[in-house]
Amino acid sequence: TIVETPEALVGELFILAKKLMPAMKQGLGCDFVMLSVVGTDVAHFHIQLIQRQFNDGLHGWPTHPYEPGKADITAAKIMKAVEDLQL
């Protein structure tokens, strides 16, 4: 869980999440990136970064899976923005 994770590692993970957020905005053209810390079913924690639009009508985060191949395309767009932003 996050409580059991060393503080230095928690800090590094959130710094990385902070760096990825502008890359997601640039690469995916989203309005903002929602951050959620999860770890309820199994003793663990992970950080979710979810692309959002101001007018997407969602309350929470999307629960539908990517269409086949779309996850790879999305990851490539984010990685290109990471490179462009020199993160």
Side-chain angles (χ1 to χ4, degrees), residues 9-31:
L9 179 55
V10 171
E12 289 178 27
L13 292 171
F14 277 93
I15 290 168
L16 178 58
K18 181 181 176 184
K19 289 179 180 179
L20 286 171
M21 293 168 102
M24 289 178 68
K25 284 181 66 176
Q26 178 176 310
L28 304 176
C30 56
D31 291 324

